Amino acid sequence: MSSSTPLASSGATLTTDVLIIGGGLVGGTLGCALAQHGIGAVVVDRDSQDHLLEDDYDGRSSAIAGACQRILQVVGIWEHMKPDVQPILDIRVTDSDSPFYLHYDHQDVGEEMGWMASNRTIRRGIFARSAELPNLTMLAPVSLVSLERTQDGVTAVLSDGSTVRAALVVAADGRRSQVRQMAGISITTLPYHQSGIVMTVWHEKDHQGIAHERFLASGPFAILPLPGGHHSSLVWTEKDSLIDSLLSLSPQEFHAELISRFGSFLGEVKVVSKVFAYPLTLQFADRYIDRRLALVGDAAHGMHPVAGQGMNYGLRDVAALVEVLVNAKRLGVDLGSTAILTDYQRWRRPDNMLMLGMTDGIVRLFSNDIKPLRLARTLGLAAVNRLPKLKVFFMKHAMGDVGKLPRLMRGESC
Amino acid sequence: MANATPSTALPEELAKFEAMADSWWDPEGKFKPLHQFNPERLRFIVRQAAARFGRDETADRPFEGLRLLDVGCGGGLLCEPLARLGFSVTGLDAAEKNIRIASLHAEKMGLAIDYRCDLVEKLAERGEQFDVVLTMEVVEHVDNVDLFLAACSHIVAPGGLLFGATMNRTLKSLAMAKIGAEYILRWLPRGTHDWRKFLKPSEFVGSLRASGLVVDTLKGMSFNPIAGTWSLTDDLSVNYLLSASRN
Ligand SMILES: Cc1cc2nc3c(=O)[nH]c(=O)nc-3n(C[C@H](O)[C@H](O)[C@H](O)COP(=O)(O)OP(=O)(O)OC[C@H]3O[C@@H](n4cnc5c(N)ncnc54)[C@H](O)[C@@H]3O)c2cc1C
Ligand SMILES: C[S@@+](CC[C@H](N)C(=O)[O-])C[C@H]1O[C@@H](n2cnc3c(N)ncnc32)[C@H](O)[C@@H]1O
């Protein structure tokens, strides 16, 4: 991956349109999307591309909604991921010991429900695409030393001694965004006191492209199909207080705990990756913009992974920001101007708040064992199943097809 | 033409703008409304100009090779974007300080714009011609409106376009633009506008027609206070803009 080119000579000055801090799933995609539309970008990440691609760096896989797949497609990243993705053909949602389950079948909407890909696959796709785009520069491992945002422009000094000048800086540096903190934008955090245990398992029987989401008393448990038929990614939510003891169990004991949740429907099951634990919190930034600054992805909103929407909503930010900036460029407007950034915030913030609220509601509704709530849930799931229109709406929503869609999400170039 | 023609400049109006000149480029400052509706009015200009001159709006510098004059350019809020789109831009303003601020800013942005402190009637006398002439939010601040618009019109080259924008003289515009924007929302310093100088669309159109231009499009520009956005509408009762051509 040679597009990662730390500047040889310190003291060099690079001039570009947009400086992106954070080259993760969201920042990397944004860089490619802008460059593809003729807007120059420099993407800075503190970790090297080789490090980000290591097995132990990120054990997660992501469910990619249909509308977001279209973004990756239009931007030219999907082409590089294609051999390593798994279509999700059916989603089965069950409540603990309830006889009913909610059954989302792709035949109801006539296309796959989404795709599964390991985060490594997505990152590899981003890096491969970025190497093809001449007006995109990826700088890593490099960090931010200082950032100045004035009425006239952005100037960043980087740890390799170089200086970048741009019209706009985008914070895509994740939940603990340094850029957001530097700008004094505060966040609201709601802890769930839950962690997500993530691992990849091998199973004897073919998963047939079916994803399972189980709402257990301790929290949601998801089995997500990976390419090849015999591997799945697990997201196992557990109370924080139990995480340490779970992770210090002997392999046999851990396996027994796993099977008691997973069941035996796929035959024999083996853990084949490192076991990762991610603390889960819901957080949202009070603003998405400041002078010549925009927040995207987890820097703006962190959600519970129950709905598998964190990256997807980050990609929606990307699609909206690209559209707003391409429109501005075609009017000759300064890409860092307040009027443009205000349009972006107005477009994205209500949508993200709605999703945060929905996932928060789901988690709270399902992560408890109060009897009347259990009954309501059971009836609710059964009712949704019997109302095809409502079900299609929920599916379309999970697939990212509701609301005013940016052009990239409709599979169109800007 | 024996005597010197009367000037279109009103010294007290120019003094008001000189006093605010430092805040031209502050998006939250005294010119906030201009910053807010800038993209929307640029969209109007770009669309009409692309159609008129057969240019592709999605190209990199679609208006390369065309000359544009912005009469009453202020800090250059329109000059800069239009220069980025390839126009060779001349910015004209009667207030010296505006021209200084505008030149300085263009230099910082790396844009080559020909800024001049002059009066449009002088350019007309010299027979200068431009493919596109803008005079946005200016007529309500000048003396001898008909003379001013005649000079702007004469400068439009055959086949060229003129864009104009101002505020209508209605009770609603008095309430919204004058009392609302200046006194209630405090967007604009008090006394920025003299409502009696606002121009009805019929007066604007009539004046251009008298100078041989044909008005092609007339649109309202309305503020939605709930969404906080400006958009083009068919409501001409407060802010409006128009395009006219010389055939
Ligand atoms: C257990 C779990 C499962 C999930 N499953 C799904 C799913 O199925 N589907 C889905 O859509 N989402 C899922 N998510 C959410 C998803 O992973 C995140 O929303 C997504 O990774 C956010 O991407 P990002 O690029 O905004 O941030 P990050 O992925 O956090 O990337 C930030 C990048 O910025 C760099 N960086 C950070 N600070 C600096 C700095 N100061 N200077 C330079 N670089 C910096 C980092 O090195 C990193 O590369 C899941 C999350 C969890 C915890
Ligand atoms: C409200 S501002 C509009 C600025 C700019 N056209 C815009 O819309 O962003 C009006 C401008 O007209 C200028 N002006 C007023 N009378 C003028 C005249 N007679 N000739 C040229 N400019 C004039 C003022 O100095 C001021 O900069």
Side-chain angles (χ1 to χ4, degrees):
Chain A
M1 296 295 128
S2 56
S3 68
S4 181
T5 43
L7 286 191
S9 61
S10 64
T13 296
L14 261 156
T15 302
T16 189
D17 295 317
V18 181
L19 168 64
I20 302 166
I21 306 299
L25 303 178
V26 174
T29 304
L30 176 64
C32 293
L34 289 174
Q36 153 146 327
H37 285 87
I39 296 177
V42 170
V43 179
V44 172
D45 203 290
R46 63 177 174 205
D47 283 326
S48 73
Q49 294 192 352
D50 290 341
H51 179 62
L52 292 173
L53 289 175
E54 278 163 18
D55 274 339
D56 284 358
Y57 175 78
D58 183 350
R60 286 171 293 174
S61 292
S62 297
I64 304 168
C68 293
Q69 184 271 340
R70 293 199 282 278
I71 299 176
L72 296 171
Q73 174 104 47
V74 177
V75 171
I77 295 170
W78 189 253
E79 194 53 38
H80 297 280
M81 300 170 45
K82 235 187 199 157
D84 302 312
V85 299
Q86 166 69 45
I88 302 173
L89 302 177
D90 191 356
I91 301 177
R92 292 199 182 145
V93 182
T94 44
D95 191 1
S96 45
D97 12 287
S98 149
F100 296 101
Y101 66 87
L102 184 59
H103 176 70
Y104 283 145
D105 189 332
H106 72 291
Q107 275 154 7
D108 288 354
V109 269
E111 51 186 308
E112 43 287 88
M113 308 284 311
W115 282 265
M116 282 302 301
S118 70
N119 285 5
R120 274 185 74 205
T121 297
I122 308 173
R123 285 183 212 281
R124 243 192 284 117
I126 293 170
F127 296 153
R129 178 62 182 142
S130 70
E132 300 167 351
L133 295 161
N135 51 350
L136 173 60
T137 307
M138 307 281 271
L139 299 179
V142 165
S143 53
L144 196 58
V145 174
S146 71
L147 180 67
E148 197 188 38
R149 296 175 289 116
T150 70
Q151 226 172 71
D152 305 323
V154 173
T155 308
V157 177
L158 307 179
S159 57
D160 64 355
S162 61
T163 300
V164 180
R165 282 186 212 290
L168 174 69
V169 58
V170 176
D173 50 352
R175 282 179 175 247
R176 286 195 295 212
S177 171
Q178 176 196 6
V179 178
R180 183 188 64 215
Q181 279 165 22
M182 288 165 89
I185 298 177
S186 44
I187 54 168
T188 305
T189 304
L190 302 174
Y192 285 113
H193 307 295
Q194 288 178 338
S195 286
I197 306 174
V198 175
M199 75 203 87
T200 304
V201 297
W202 171 90
H203 38 73
E204 197 181 355
K205 294 188 190 154
D206 196 305
H207 53 52
Q208 302 188 318
I210 301 171
H212 297 264
E213 182 102 70
R214 304 208 165 135
F215 290 99
L216 306 179
S218 55
F221 184 91
I223 306 170
L224 305 159
L226 292 176
H230 293 276
H231 287 92
S232 289
S233 173
L234 301 190
V235 182
W236 166 0
T237 324
E238 200 57 70
K239 291 189 185 73
D240 274 340
S241 53
L242 292 178
I243 290 291
D244 284 345
S245 40
L246 256 177
L247 294 183
S248 52
L249 291 176
S250 73
Q252 293 88 332
E253 288 167 325
F254 184 80
H255 195 259
E257 288 293 328
L258 172 64
I259 295 304
S260 73
R261 290 163 175 84
F262 193 105
S264 56
F265 72 111
L266 289 177
E268 201 191 321
V269 177
K270 270 191 301 221
V271 177
V272 295
S273 73
K274 190 176 140 181
V275 175
F276 297 81
Y278 298 93
L280 305 175
T281 48
L282 178 150
Q283 68 177 45
F284 47 94
D286 294 350
R287 290 176 282 132
Y288 285 11
I289 57 173
D290 199 71
R291 174 191 277 176
R292 293 189 182 274
L293 167 68
L295 311 185
V296 294
D298 277 17
H301 44 76
M303 11 194 133
H304 193 288
V306 59
Q309 294 294 5
M311 179 194 62
N312 286 304
Y313 273 65
L315 292 186
R316 286 175 160 235
D317 296 346
V318 167
L321 187 59
V322 169
E323 185 160 330
V324 161
L325 292 176
V326 168
N327 287 343
K329 185 184 154 79
R330 290 188 183 149
L331 298 176
V333 173
D334 185 328
L335 299 184
S337 56
T338 307
I340 299 307
L341 298 179
T342 306
D343 280 347
Y344 163 69
Q345 169 164 278
R346 196 179 296 121
W347 196 348
R348 291 305 310 149
R349 202 163 180 275
D351 191 31
N352 287 327
M353 293 304 284
L354 183 69
M355 192 64 203
L356 285 169
M358 275 177 47
T359 42
D360 184 53
I362 293 173
V363 173
R364 290 184 195 280
L365 181 61
F366 285 97
S367 300
N368 66 63
D369 216 8
I370 305 164
K371 282 268 147 45
L373 273 182
R374 280 278 291 284
L375 185 63
R377 260 143 53 186
T378 302
L379 293 177
L381 290 180
V384 172
N385 246 344
R386 281 201 222 99
L387 293 168
K389 283 235 175 76
L390 188 60
K391 203 162 104 177
V392 170
F393 174 79
F394 275 131
M395 286 168 79
K396 289 253 178 212
H397 207 286
M399 291 164 73
D401 265 345
V402 175
K404 182 193 165 200
L405 289 190
R407 273 175 285 188
L408 284 178
M409 292 180 71
R410 300 193 298 248
E412 297 161 19
S413 196
C414 284
Chain B
M1 292 272 263
N3 293 328
T5 43
S7 165
T8 62
L10 274 176
E12 61 275 25
E13 287 287 328
L14 298 180
K16 275 193 271 188
F17 285 104
E18 296 250 352
M20 305 190 280
D22 284 324
S23 52
W24 273 113
W25 286 97
D26 178 0
E28 303 296 332
K30 302 196 170 76
F31 296 105
K32 183 173 177 175
L34 295 179
H35 284 271
Q36 280 183 326
F37 63 49
N38 220 26
E40 200 61 18
R41 61 187 181 161
L42 279 161
R43 209 181 321 278
F44 180 78
I45 295 168
V46 165
R47 220 148 267 162
Q48 309 280 329
R52 180 77 179 180
F53 300 105
R55 303 296 171 104
D56 173 9
E57 281 175 52
T58 66
D60 208 21
R61 287 168 62 84
F63 300 109
E64 203 80 64
L66 294 171
R67 298 192 56 200
L68 179 144
L69 175 72
D70 184 5
V71 182
C73 63
L77 266 45
L78 288 164
C79 293
E80 290 197 3
L82 292 165
R84 284 194 193 95
L85 295 180
F87 279 112
S88 95
V89 177
T90 300
L92 198 71
D93 203 284
E96 182 84 53
K97 194 164 177 202
N98 289 344
I99 291 299
R100 264 205 318 278
I101 299 279
S103 307
L104 216 67
H105 196 267
E107 198 184 310
K108 274 196 268 186
M109 292 289 136
L111 295 167
I113 295 170
D114 172 22
Y115 281 115
R116 305 187 205 164
C117 181
D118 207 341
L119 293 170
V120 65
E121 56 269 29
K122 297 277 169 56
L123 271 72
E125 264 171 39
R126 294 197 294 267
E128 294 200 41
Q129 298 249 286
F130 292 83
D131 302 297
V132 178
V133 174
L134 308 184
T135 184
M136 313 291 276
E137 320 300 339
V138 182
V139 293
E140 68 271 29
H141 303 286
V142 307
D143 207 4
N144 299 307
V145 180
D146 286 331
L147 177 73
F148 178 83
L149 285 176
C152 290
S153 303
H154 286 132
I155 279 185
V156 179
L161 286 178
L162 176 142
F163 292 92
T166 187
M167 275 178 262
N168 199 345
R169 198 172 64 253
T170 58
L171 281 179
K172 189 168 170 201
S173 74
L174 176 65
M176 302 262 303
K178 175 84 188 152
I179 300 170
E182 292 180 20
Y183 290 85
I184 300 172
L185 296 174
R186 298 283 165 87
W187 274 352
L188 303 173
R190 285 181 198 181
T192 301
H193 291 109
D194 179 351
W195 178 74
R196 287 161 303 174
K197 297 185 70 63
F198 290 1
L199 215 56
K200 291 190 170 164
S202 58
E203 296 163 343
F204 208 140
V205 169
S207 184
L208 294 176
R209 198 174 284 152
S211 302
L213 297 192
V214 178
V215 173
D216 304 312
T217 323
L218 194 54
K219 278 281 182 192
M221 171 82 86
S222 312
F223 183 69
N224 176 339
I226 294 164
T229 51
W230 288 89
S231 51
L232 287 184
T233 60
D234 291 320
D235 175 5
L236 306 179
S237 62
V238 185
N239 292 79
Y240 65 94
L241 63 183
L242 56 78
S243 72
S245 53
R246 176 179 297 289
N247 295 317

